[in-house]
Amino acid sequence: MTPRPPSTGSKKPKSTKSQKNPKKNPEPDPKKDPQQSPEKNPKKDPGKKAAKKLEQQTEEAVPLPSPALDAADRERLLAGTHHDPHSVLGAHPLPGGVAFRVLRPYARTVTVVSGELRTELHDDGDGFFSGALALRGVPEYRLVIAYAGETQETEDAYRLLPALGELDLHLIGEGRHEELWKALGAEPMTHQGVTGTRFTVWAPNARGVRVTGGFNFWDGTAYPMRSLGGTGVWELFVPGVGESELYKFEITRPDGSKTLRADPMARRTEVPPNTSSIVHSSRHEWQDEEWLARRAETPAHEAPMSIYEIHLASWRPGLTYRQLAEQLPAYVRDLGFTHVELMPVAEHPFGGSWGYQVTGFYAPTARLGTPDDFKFLVDALHRAGVGVLMDWVPAHFPRDEWALAEFDGRTLYEHEDPLRAAHPDWGTLEFDYGRREVRNFLVANALYWCEEFHIDGLRVDAVASMLYLDYSREPGQWTPNEHGGRENLDAVAFLQEMNAVVYRRVPGVVTIAEESTAWDGVTRATHHTGPGGFGGLGFGLKWNMGWMHDSLGYVQHDPVHRRHHHHEMTFSMVYAYSENYVLPISHDEVVHGKRSLVSKMPGDWWQQRATERAYLAFMWAHPGKQLLFMGQEFAQGAEWSEAHGPDWWLLDPAYGAEADHRGVRDLVRDLNTVYQDTPALWQKDTEPSGFEWLVGDAAEDNVFAFVRYDAEGTPLISLSNFSPVVRHDYRVGVPDTVPAWHETLNTDASRYGGGDIHNPSPLKPDPQPWHGRATSIHVTLPPLATVWLRPA
């Protein structure tokens, strides 16, 4: 079949008939037919050069084999089970010419256009169109597709080579593609001179995969993907598809049934409850170079770190990422916190999960804006001098049928053993950390947030549930590891790899473990083996859940009973240097009937606020970094609710909040200010030489006194009185190197809502030995208060 003007009458062009019976209806010779020779009609030929080049490629009229697909390929394409659609669709050499095959359901006609060539293909039925041209080689061409009432001109996706390189496939196959988000998912790009989007997805058990979305009216029949070797990766470059297009993958399971899935690597999603993925390309221009340049100067465990934990959607309900950027950085900076910790921002279908049941591991939740909007918020915090930590949830994922669960028809991201796959507490599924591709998915995800969103640290949720095979399981519900133990060796290896890769690639980033047991070596380097025979997990910091539990237990007792629980406040120093710790008063402690921090305290309203103030100052002085959940900084009385967030109205002067809630907030501001200005409170958090008890056994008095030292030996004394009575002339032994002391902070100050009982300044030591020291001082301890003393 040689070039011929487009058909204007019959649906089947004459060129198709000549192909069937070339002797009866011989092809015209373009050299003898002026209507077929663009060189004889230059005025009618806008593509003269292209036509001449095509003519040079044209063979003499010869019988050509039928270009139509055989029944087997047609059936596989229509069923969505073809592994290599590019081998049969598109343009392919055949004896004597080139075959063109197109699959476009609902199309009226399909025309091949290349330069002056414009040939309508034969309608083979069921959406298939084909034609054969007597060409010496495959030309560059486009398709003109006519539907009822609409005509589209587009590149043919099936004439293009794979848009994913061999190195990418090799790294994916080995499970060590550290920039996996650049290889899988939807990537707008220009490929072989064509603008569009490359779609790639890992689905090794699928019989076939098709791309479906708004650009094809959610019918993926015309967009089958090709399988790239043994990696389990499917790929299709779709011309003309760009940013903001909605899409999903239609997967044919091993049993032949179909499932429509969101992209596991989607970088943007619809606003829940809608579940489609969205093609995205970032346009944000970062302005936090100064912050990034200096954040690696000091290791996190040797630097000040005071963390404000936030649930973004409810901090001030209704605000978008960009609106939060106008308010949150100023608020956090004013209160003196060094970091914010964001409860999970990765996309999740149920808001009541607070983000801990993730379906879109690579997409910030669309509830508050786009990924670039979230980058804008991080950028604003950095420019305000505030670091950004983020909760990260690699322990489990929900069972939603459009997400990761049995993604390609079989267990894939979850463990194949049902006992290992089902999380007993949350009704979710646990990742299969032993599968290299799954481990790669998670390790790359950690890097993705740090590199693409400039996150300064990841707080890893529910680490204990990952480490133990018998976590929340009864005997018979779990299988021991290869050594007969209960440790999940795959999870250990995954956490070690994740930490090692993150610290290697992203200087200045810190990883923090929420690990509620006494697992040895959570913050030990991965190459250092501990007593249990395991290398360290490699985290930078660990939440001190023991301190949180014991100290809250102590202050919730009535003061008259606290002498029986004195050890709950001192026991933390027995293990304080076994790990690098964060002291957390998190969202978990102020919900579900546990009451807010101030409401945990016994007594009347004055005593409750006084006890919270004393507790916060004790916490800020204790070795370890500190974390406080939003609303607790101003003594909110009600539990936190994700529906309405903190009770900001409590700070309204019209409510008379100056002495109540504003006073506690002012204390938190002063705690952070003194904390950052006093290296003794943070510089040697992980060294025993940075702490010393002065009074640790005064159970009858409900008094705790200790001294903190910085690297130069400069001390700060913290004195806490958790009884409701004033203790006058209370003698405390002190370091004899300091000639005089003065109060640098007193939680009983009237501006905080206290009784304003102070110590005169300076406090000069007496040569009277006390508490094993050569000198001592007489101090007045206000009721339910903490006092900090520094050298005068």
Side-chain angles (χ1 to χ4, degrees):
M1 183 170 68
T2 54
R4 176 183 295 277
S7 172
T8 57
S10 172
K11 194 171 185 180
K12 296 182 180 180
K14 294 181 180 179
S15 58
T16 302
K17 293 180 181 178
S18 67
Q19 170 201 323
K20 292 183 178 180
N21 193 346
K23 294 183 178 180
K24 184 178 179 180
N25 188 13
E27 292 292 333
D29 186 348
K31 296 181 179 179
K32 299 178 180 179
D33 185 352
Q35 292 184 350
Q36 295 294 320
S37 176
E39 291 191 78
K40 303 258 185 194
N41 297 276
K43 293 182 180 179
K44 298 181 181 180
D45 179 23
K48 180 178 178 181
K49 292 184 179 179
K52 184 176 182 180
K53 180 179 180 182
L54 186 64
E55 180 185 347
Q56 293 171 351
Q57 295 177 342
T58 304
E59 299 280 6
E60 296 297 328
V62 293
L64 298 175
S66 171
L69 283 176
D70 61 34
D73 281 322
R74 285 172 62 106
E75 181 179 354
R76 290 167 63 199
L77 285 167
L78 291 175
T81 59
H82 207 298
H83 277 65
D84 192 10
H86 292 71
S87 67
V88 293
L89 297 177
H92 299 277
L94 50 68
V98 176
F100 293 84
R101 304 186 190 98
V102 176
L103 174 56
R104 278 292 190 276
Y106 315 113
R108 297 290 183 88
T109 62
V110 176
T111 302
V112 173
V113 178
S114 180
E116 184 66 12
L117 168 69
R118 189 178 182 90
T119 302
E120 185 177 315
L121 301 183
H122 180 263
D123 186 346
D124 298 331
D126 295 326
F128 289 96
F129 297 82
S130 67
L133 296 179
L135 301 175
R136 291 192 179 94
V138 176
E140 291 187 5
Y141 67 93
R142 294 172 64 83
L143 301 175
V144 176
I145 305 169
Y147 297 95
E150 180 183 353
T151 300
Q152 298 176 350
E153 183 171 350
T154 181
E155 299 283 352
D156 187 356
Y158 297 92
R159 76 171 181 86
L160 303 173
L161 296 171
L164 194 64
E166 290 297 325
L167 178 59
D168 288 312
L169 292 172
H170 174 74
L171 293 174
I172 291 170
E174 290 194 341
R176 57 185 186 92
H177 200 308
E178 294 177 357
E179 295 181 337
L180 191 64
W181 65 92
K182 296 182 179 179
L184 297 182
E187 183 73 20
M189 62 194 307
T190 298
H191 175 54
Q192 292 183 236
V194 178
T195 300
T197 295
R198 181 197 67 200
F199 294 94
T200 45
V201 63
W202 178 60
N205 298 308
R207 291 178 60 188
V209 183
R210 301 192 285 207
V211 181
T212 179
F215 52 88
N216 59 17
F217 302 99
W218 296 100
D219 183 346
T221 306
Y223 293 84
M225 304 176 75
R226 60 179 148 204
S227 175
L228 297 179
T231 61
V233 174
W234 299 74
E235 180 267 354
L236 180 66
F237 180 85
V238 182
V241 171
E243 293 182 52
S244 302
E245 290 278 9
L246 273 60
Y247 72 98
K248 283 189 176 181
F249 295 114
E250 181 190 87
I251 296 174
T252 303
R253 300 182 179 104
D255 65 1
S257 64
K258 289 182 168 49
T259 179
L260 198 59
R261 298 288 173 141
D263 184 359
M265 303 292 297
R267 295 192 283 280
R268 184 182 172 193
T269 70
E270 284 190 287
V271 178
N274 296 324
T275 59
S276 294
S277 305
I278 300 178
V279 177
H280 174 72
S281 183
S282 179
R283 296 286 184 271
H284 181 75
E285 295 183 5
W286 289 96
Q287 302 178 47
D288 61 351
E289 296 83 1
E290 183 180 347
W291 170 268
L292 296 181
R294 71 170 187 268
R295 74 177 179 183
E297 292 175 354
T298 306
H301 63 279
E302 297 176 0
M305 180 178 285
S306 179
I307 305 167
Y308 184 57
E309 188 189 20
I310 304 169
H311 181 252
L312 280 179
S314 67
W315 184 71
R316 290 190 183 274
L319 297 188
T320 65
Y321 290 128
R322 289 185 179 268
Q323 290 168 335
L324 284 163
E326 296 173 0
Q327 299 185 32
L328 182 59
Y331 181 82
V332 175
R333 184 169 184 173
D334 174 65
L335 289 187
F337 287 98
T338 65
H339 292 74
V340 295
E341 180 177 314
L342 309 180
M343 290 169 66
V345 298
E347 193 58 272
H348 50 284
F350 176 48
S353 76
W354 310 330
Y356 291 98
Q357 294 197 13
V358 178
T359 48
F361 281 80
Y362 283 78
T365 180
R367 293 171 175 86
L368 308 182
T370 69
D372 276 4
D373 293 337
F374 179 59
K375 289 181 178 180
F376 185 86
L377 172 59
V378 175
D379 212 345
L381 285 161
H382 282 172
R383 286 184 278 114
V386 178
V388 182
L389 312 175
M390 188 186 85
D391 281 10
W392 185 54
V393 192
H396 63 124
F397 58 92
R399 297 174 179 265
D400 299 72
E401 61 180 9
W402 49 269
L404 295 183
E406 293 190 349
F407 181 75
D408 58 3
R410 292 180 181 165
T411 55
L412 189 66
Y413 289 91
E414 66 271 44
H415 203 282
E416 63 181 359
D417 180 352
L419 294 180
R420 293 276 296 273
H423 198 291
D425 290 343
W426 303 312
T428 52
L429 296 169
E430 297 185 13
F431 283 102
D432 181 2
Y433 305 108
R435 185 159 192 165
R436 60 181 180 272
E437 297 93 342
V438 174
R439 196 166 58 245
N440 192 173
F441 173 81
L442 293 171
V443 171
N445 187 240
L447 284 172
Y448 173 74
W449 291 105
C450 295
E451 294 189 0
E452 294 293 320
F453 291 90
H454 293 196
I455 297 297
D456 301 295
L458 299 173
R459 176 267 196 183
V460 183
D461 182 65
V463 171
S465 73
M466 301 165 64
L467 291 174
Y468 297 98
L469 297 170
D470 63 345
Y471 184 87
S472 287
R473 293 177 171 91
E474 299 297 327
Q477 296 180 339
W478 62 282
T479 305
N481 62 34
E482 61 193 64
H483 304 297
R486 65 192 188 109
E487 299 85 4
N488 187 335
L489 303 181
D490 293 333
V492 171
F494 156 66
L495 291 170
Q496 290 174 328
E497 179 182 355
M498 181 276 297
N499 280 312
V501 171
V502 166
Y503 277 103
R504 169 171 55 81
R505 285 188 55 130
V506 196
V509 165
V510 62
T511 59
I512 306 169
E514 185 215 13
E515 201 284 309
S516 56
T517 73
W519 182 280
D520 179 62
V522 172
T523 59
R524 188 170 58 236
T526 57
H527 59 280
H528 289 164
T529 302
F534 297 100
L537 296 183
F539 285 94
L541 297 167
K542 171 184 172 175
W543 274 19
N544 193 334
M545 309 296 281
W547 172 89
M548 177 273 297
H549 179 272
D550 291 345
S551 63
L552 288 180
Y554 174 85
V555 295
Q556 289 181 75
H557 288 291
D558 190 275
V560 72
H561 299 302
R562 284 175 180 161
R563 66 180 184 272
H564 303 300
H565 300 273
H566 195 79
H567 66 283
E568 294 178 9
M569 290 288 267
T570 60
F571 182 66
S572 60
M573 292 311 303
V574 174
Y575 59 87
Y577 303 106
S578 60
E579 303 281 3
N580 304 334
Y581 282 118
V582 174
L583 311 178
I585 300 298
S586 73
H587 65 278
D588 278 330
E589 308 314 314
V590 296
V591 290
H592 299 327
K594 295 180 181 179
R595 297 172 293 174
S596 70
L597 182 59
V598 72
S599 296
K600 296 177 190 291
M601 311 304 176
D604 59 24
W605 178 231
W606 191 96
Q607 290 177 318
Q608 286 180 308
R609 287 183 294 115
T611 306
E612 178 180 350
R613 295 194 303 267
Y615 179 79
L616 290 175
F618 175 87
M619 171 183 173
W620 255 248
H622 190 284
K625 315 310 176 184
Q626 53 277 333
L627 175 145
L628 189 65
F629 184 61
M630 64 183 195
Q632 313 317 300
E633 78 273 18
F634 58 84
Q636 173 174 315
E639 285 188 340
W640 167 63
S641 165
E642 77 277 359
H644 61 73
D647 293 332
W648 295 109
W649 58 272
L650 294 173
L651 296 172
D652 189 340
Y655 177 72
E658 287 84 350
D660 286 4
H661 303 281
R662 285 183 147 190
V664 177
R665 190 183 65 176
D666 290 344
L667 169 67
V668 170
R669 180 188 295 109
D670 290 350
L671 285 173
N672 281 325
T673 299
V674 178
Y675 170 78
Q676 292 193 53
D677 292 341
T678 310
L681 290 174
W682 45 263
Q683 199 170 55
K684 303 182 75 174
D685 271 335
T686 60
E687 299 178 31
S689 60
F691 175 91
E692 195 172 9
W693 280 112
L694 299 178
V695 182
D697 57 357
E700 295 298 324
D701 300 332
N702 295 351
V703 169
F704 305 88
F706 54 83
V707 61
R708 299 292 308 277
Y709 295 98
D710 65 17
E712 304 299 323
T714 304
L716 177 140
I717 291 176
S718 175
L719 302 157
S720 296
N721 175 21
F722 283 100
S723 65
V725 299
V726 181
R727 300 204 179 276
H728 297 283
D729 293 328
Y730 198 84
R731 185 176 289 276
V732 179
V734 295
D736 57 9
T737 57
V738 177
W741 301 84
H742 75 93
E743 280 189 358
T744 190
L745 184 136
N746 185 330
T747 65
D748 192 54
S750 58
R751 66 181 180 277
Y752 306 142
D756 217 22
I757 298 174
H758 284 277
N759 286 278
S761 187
L763 289 169
K764 295 185 177 181
D766 298 329
Q768 181 174 351
W770 206 259
H771 295 137
R773 296 183 173 276
T775 61
S776 57
I777 57 174
H778 284 279
V779 296
T780 297
L781 299 180
L784 301 175
T786 293
V787 175
W788 288 356
L789 305 177
R790 284 201 295 191

